[in-house]
Amino acid sequence: MNVVVCVKQIPDPADPGALDPETKTLVRTGKLILDEADSYGVEMALQLVDAAGGGEVTLVSMAPNEEQGGLRTALAMGAAKAVLVSDDALKGSDALTTAKVLAKAIARTGEPDLVLTATESSDGYTGTVPEQIAELLSLPSVTFAKSIAVEGSTANVQRQTEAGYDDVQVPLPAVVSVTAGVVEPRYPSFKGIMAAKSKPLDAVTVADLGFDSAQVGWNGAGQEIIEVSEAEAREAGTIVEDDGEGFQKVVDYLAELKVI
Amino acid sequence: MSVGSIWVFVEASDGTITNTSLELLTKARDLADTVEAVSVSASDVAAAAGAHGATTVHQVDGTDGKLVGPAVASAIADAVAAGGGPDAILIATSYDGRDVAGRLSVKLDASVITNVVDVVEVDGALAGIVPIFGGSTNVTTKFTNDKPDIFLIRPKSFAAEESGGGPAAVASLAVPDLGATGSAVVTNRFVEEQTGPSLDDADIVVSGGRGLGESANYDLVEQLAKQLGAAPGASRAIVDAGWVPYSYQVGQTGKVVKPNVYIAAGISGATQHLVGMKGSKTIIAINKDPEAPIFSVADLGIVGDVHKVLPKLIEALQNR
Ligand SMILES: Cc1cc2nc3c(=O)[nH]c(=O)nc-3n(C[C@H](O)[C@H](O)[C@H](O)COP(=O)(O)OP(=O)(O)OC[C@H]3O[C@@H](n4cnc5c(N)ncnc54)[C@H](O)[C@@H]3O)c2cc1C
Ligand SMILES: Cc1cc2nc3c(=O)[nH]c(=O)nc-3n(C[C@H](O)[C@H](O)[C@H](O)COP(=O)(O)OP(=O)(O)OC[C@H]3O[C@@H](n4cnc5c(N)ncnc54)[C@H](O)[C@@H]3O)c2cc1C
């Protein structure tokens, strides 16, 4: 079984970056890392390929400046190879354009049985890319997967719901988005890290995928930020050190609020 | 120029229209001349949708036992193609809502503005207000094309208010052949048992985080919640750790709550948690680290050990 995992490489969330006052886009410095949200999909894919007893995991990523740090991490976990789309023309892309690029990159890998994504990225978190990819590839999809089991050409997916979960059956090929935290991503071993350095990475531009640079990036984006403002801040509260009677402050406050 | 027509994707749970749907209908009424709804269970929602301003509910058939995204998106896209579509579509950031928005975006080749907490009119067009950096900054985003506007809106962004309208008329929206995209089927629905008030409706929410130390200590949160008639909630850290089910999670990838009182015990206050509870009327935080970001949004902060403060607090409430 062949699985493609879309992995986003993002700035370290510990350093969220800032908005450029001119272009109103996020300015990021420093190396990109594998989005933690995608580490679950990578783990899930590795487990599924293992269970199927054959096949491989291919990564697909769109990132600026041919950044590949995050891809190398996922390769070190055990993925076999990667497609990296990097092109200055992609700057300013909205989620739909991102999905169009990823869909083309996925098609370039052949005909995977399953495409995995996270439910949403940690930095852009529109959460629309997985369904957009599925629609672009005319594939069925299941979002918010808690677990995936493949039987022949069907995937049985537990899909998170408001009240619990649904058991969903979907014929393959399909797109499934994986909920964060549902598997324990493996740590790359030293051997894995060394092996990752020589695993094949197919670096492509938008032209290689058949796009015109006028269709992507700023040009292709269907939206623009027209204003940036400070959100209303909450008034500073009272912070007290617990001296053994801290609980009483809470009781008094709840009484003042008339909820007890 | 005001907006002519807005459609709202209206959802139901157990045969009852969701609060978020009512919030979106109320907002749509402020923005547009006509408000119509799209639903996979029109007969369940027509009365409430009408009472909140919808004139018509468009029924999308054929979704029984299926995931609804592909059918709803295709039906709306066909209506738009036939010239009978709206100027804008409001969709809640829910499991099914996100599916609909993603598919519809491709069908219409239109961008989606996501994580919206308010929709405003700017120079005759609609724009979305989107919080970034954990809510410290707001950006206003507008569409740059003349496609129907698609907004994905966070729950609890607006207050639901009735318009006094009668039941909405039910019309049918044709669903084209979905091909492979319509082939995911739901074979079983599992509902987690829940006691006490739900996170959505509770007047008070008590949430616990990793600072509780271990799974068994979540009992302190449950006891406190019981004393206060509150709903118990959680940070993602302890959901991921398996201490409580996902349905307890508050935050960006969990529930958005806006109770009268929110109590955070042993929660650091990561931006992804804050976006889910910052709108609470009052916030009380207990954390042993005086630098914890949760204190920046707290009305009352107790710098202390949850294992000491919570048992005393529970006892004091029992004795009242
Ligand atoms: C603060 C902020 C707000 C934004 N708001 C919007 C908005 O409202 N509408 C809009 O259209 N765009 C928006 N964008 C732009 C959007 O985030 C980017 O286009 C981004 O490249 C794709 O969207 P995402 O990360 O939000 O995807 P999501 O849909 O959140 O991503 C889900 C999953 O898809 C896969 N994936 C997504 N991007 C990539 C990638 N580059 N490479 C590999 N896999 C990927 C990953 O598995 C990811 O976890 C915003 C960006 C920022 C920084
Ligand atoms: C894409 C994405 C989405 C996310 N979505 C969510 C979401 O929806 N909801 C969410 O909550 N998180 C979410 N997160 C995770 C978030 O970033 C944090 O990791 C998480 O909220 C931390 O949980 P916590 O506060 O319980 O744990 P920690 O950050 O570990 O904080 C524990 C706190 O407890 C305090 N503490 C320790 N011992 C004690 C004691 N004895 N007494 C009192 N205090 C003590 C510590 O000082 C610390 O502040 C998301 C992350 C990503 C990347």
Side-chain angles (χ1 to χ4, degrees):
Chain A
M1 177 156 107
N2 292 316
V3 184
V4 166
V5 188
C6 297
V7 298
K8 195 170 182 185
Q9 304 177 82
I10 63 166
D12 193 331
D15 169 21
L19 277 189
D20 180 324
E22 269 308 299
T23 63
K24 303 201 175 64
T25 48
L26 213 47
V27 185
R28 301 136 155 177
T29 48
K31 286 263 166 251
L32 300 186
I33 61 169
L34 174 66
D35 186 350
E36 183 214 308
D38 283 320
S39 61
Y40 305 101
V42 174
E43 177 62 37
M44 195 86 104
L46 292 169
Q47 290 183 11
L48 288 169
V49 167
D50 234 19
E56 59 185 18
V57 175
T58 304
L59 309 168
V60 166
S61 188
M62 165 178 140
N65 310 322
E66 298 195 21
E67 290 269 2
Q68 38 182 273
L71 282 175
R72 293 293 170 197
T73 304
L75 288 168
M77 286 171 72
K81 58 188 193 326
V83 179
L84 171 62
V85 192
S86 200
D87 200 314
D88 281 346
L90 288 168
K91 220 172 268 174
S93 292
D94 62 4
L96 179 56
T97 305
T98 304
K100 287 177 182 172
V101 170
L102 293 174
K104 279 272 170 35
I106 291 164
R108 190 179 163 93
T109 68
E111 283 175 13
D113 301 298
L114 183 64
V115 177
L116 297 185
T117 67
T119 57
E120 61 200 29
S121 70
S122 302
D123 68 335
Y125 53 85
T126 65
T128 54
V129 168
E131 278 300 280
Q132 287 167 328
I133 291 175
E135 184 66 28
L136 286 158
L137 296 173
S138 300
L139 291 178
S141 58
V142 186
T143 47
F144 298 96
K146 285 160 66 87
S147 73
I148 308 173
V150 172
E151 253 173 75
S153 59
T154 306
N156 294 304
V157 180
Q158 285 185 352
R159 179 185 191 242
Q160 189 70 57
T161 61
E162 284 286 339
Y165 63 84
D166 287 350
D167 286 320
V168 181
Q169 236 170 38
V170 64
L172 300 179
V175 176
V176 178
S177 76
V178 177
T179 305
V182 296
V183 285
E184 188 67 48
R186 66 194 68 184
Y187 283 106
S189 64
F190 179 71
K191 213 173 123 220
I193 295 168
M194 295 316 287
K197 295 192 172 152
S198 55
K199 285 184 175 170
L201 190 146
D202 178 19
V204 297
T205 62
V206 292
D208 294 334
L209 296 177
F211 291 100
D212 186 326
S213 53
Q215 297 170 300
V216 299
W218 298 118
N219 301 324
Q223 54 182 269
E224 70 178 353
I225 293 177
I226 51 175
E227 201 188 313
V228 179
S229 59
E230 285 296 302
E232 214 176 296
R234 286 186 78 98
E235 258 175 61
T238 314
I239 313 294
V240 293
E241 190 89 31
D242 179 35
D243 53 1
E245 297 295 310
F247 75 93
Q248 191 60 44
K249 296 265 186 333
V250 180
V251 174
D252 293 346
Y253 192 51
L254 292 172
E256 188 188 318
L257 295 170
K258 297 199 168 59
V259 295
I260 54 172
Chain B
M1 188 185 77
S2 86
V3 178
S5 146
I6 292 182
W7 284 10
V8 176
F9 173 53
V10 162
E11 297 175 77
S13 147
D14 276 341
T16 308
I17 194 165
T18 62
N19 279 330
T20 314
S21 300
L22 300 178
E23 293 158 19
L24 299 195
L25 288 166
T26 306
K27 185 66 195 183
R29 224 160 72 209
D30 276 355
L31 297 166
D33 301 334
T34 28
V35 176
E36 297 175 26
V38 179
S39 168
V40 297
S41 50
S43 54
D44 287 342
V45 302
H52 287 78
T55 52
T56 304
V57 182
H58 298 278
Q59 164 70 16
V60 177
D61 279 325
T63 61
D64 281 355
K66 295 262 179 81
L67 298 184
V68 307
V72 174
S74 301
I76 297 175
D78 271 17
V80 170
D87 299 310
I89 301 146
L90 308 190
I91 302 172
T93 309
S94 60
Y95 299 102
D96 289 342
R98 270 173 32 172
D99 286 3
V100 171
R103 296 238 176 220
L104 183 60
S105 150
V106 172
K107 295 247 171 227
L108 299 179
D109 196 24
S111 207
V112 185
I113 301 182
T114 62
N115 289 298
V116 171
V117 297
D118 199 4
V119 181
V120 295
E121 215 183 291
V122 180
D123 302 332
L126 296 181
I129 310 267
V130 180
I132 60 169
F133 300 143
S136 61
T137 306
N138 284 329
V139 297
T140 308
T141 306
K142 74 169 175 86
F143 292 96
T144 52
N145 54 31
D146 50 9
K147 308 273 174 59
D149 301 344
I150 312 173
F151 291 102
L152 260 180
I153 300 179
R154 287 208 187 140
K156 301 218 160 65
S157 292
F158 319 111
E161 278 164 39
E162 295 202 355
S163 63
V170 174
S172 174
L173 209 56
V175 180
D177 179 17
L178 300 174
T181 65
S183 59
V185 294
V186 179
T187 55
N188 183 34
R189 295 186 192 277
F190 178 82
V191 176
E192 259 150 19
E193 233 179 281
Q194 197 194 356
T195 50
S198 80
L199 273 177
D200 285 318
D201 309 324
D203 191 46
I204 307 179
V205 172
V206 183
S207 287
R210 188 145 46 194
L212 291 168
E214 56 180 292
S215 174
N217 292 337
Y218 189 78
D219 192 44
L220 292 171
V221 169
E222 273 172 336
Q223 283 184 44
L224 179 58
K226 200 161 154 235
Q227 285 302 318
L228 294 170
S235 71
R236 191 174 110 182
I238 73 167
V239 172
D240 286 0
W243 298 4
V244 293
Y246 176 83
S247 56
Y248 283 49
Q249 184 173 317
V250 173
Q252 185 181 299
T253 34
K255 293 231 161 63
V256 176
V257 300
K258 280 196 180 174
N260 194 4
V261 182
Y262 187 87
I263 303 179
I267 293 179
S268 60
T271 56
Q272 296 95 347
H273 188 78
L274 295 185
V275 297
M277 44 65 77
K278 243 181 79 164
S280 305
K281 198 150 169 237
T282 42
I283 297 171
I284 300 174
I286 305 164
N287 193 306
K288 70 173 185 192
D289 174 10
E291 303 297 323
I294 191 78
F295 288 130
S296 69
V297 298
D299 299 284
L300 174 64
I302 307 292
V303 181
D305 186 341
V306 286
H307 307 107
K308 297 193 176 128
V309 179
L310 288 181
K312 285 190 198 157
L313 178 55
I314 293 160
E315 199 192 320
L317 292 171
Q318 275 164 348
N319 294 337
R320 272 176 72 95

